[in-house]
Amino acid sequence: MTRAVVFAYRRESANLLGPADFASAPSGRDGAYAIDLVEGSYWLVARKRVSGSDSGPLVPGDLQKIFPQNPVRVAVGALTPVDLELEEM
């Protein structure tokens, strides 16, 4: 997931499109990322756009992965690992 952006949404109502309604974080060259989230449930999506932007409509060649086990439950003081393998749109 090199150089992708991971988005955390509190609600699924926006079809997980557009800017995150809670938080987002870029991944590093190794694909690792960290988002500091408060306790609760989140829907996670990773995207890598051919344009390099972190927003805008998805176009052919963009990569995306919606975590299949959404929503992810985050507990106080716990680390919740989530691995997202991007797929071409």
Side-chain angles (χ1 to χ4, degrees):
M1 188 177 62
T2 304
R3 304 282 186 191
V5 177
V6 180
F7 299 90
Y9 296 89
R10 290 287 271 186
R11 292 177 273 316
E12 194 177 18
S13 59
N15 293 324
L16 307 177
L17 296 172
D21 65 4
F22 195 80
S24 64
S27 68
R29 286 187 178 164
D30 63 355
Y33 68 95
I35 304 177
D36 189 14
L37 300 171
V38 298
E39 178 181 15
S41 293
Y42 299 89
W43 282 260
L44 299 182
V45 180
R47 294 188 187 102
K48 181 177 179 180
R49 299 172 192 275
V50 293
S51 69
S53 173
D54 65 354
S55 62
L58 296 172
V59 299
D62 284 350
L63 305 174
Q64 173 173 276
K65 180 65 175 191
I66 297 173
F67 187 56
Q69 286 82 34
N70 275 332
V72 174
R73 178 82 181 132
V74 174
V76 173
L79 181 65
T80 308
V82 175
D83 188 22
L84 298 159
E85 293 291 328
L86 294 171
E87 301 169 344
E88 190 166 344
M89 296 301 300

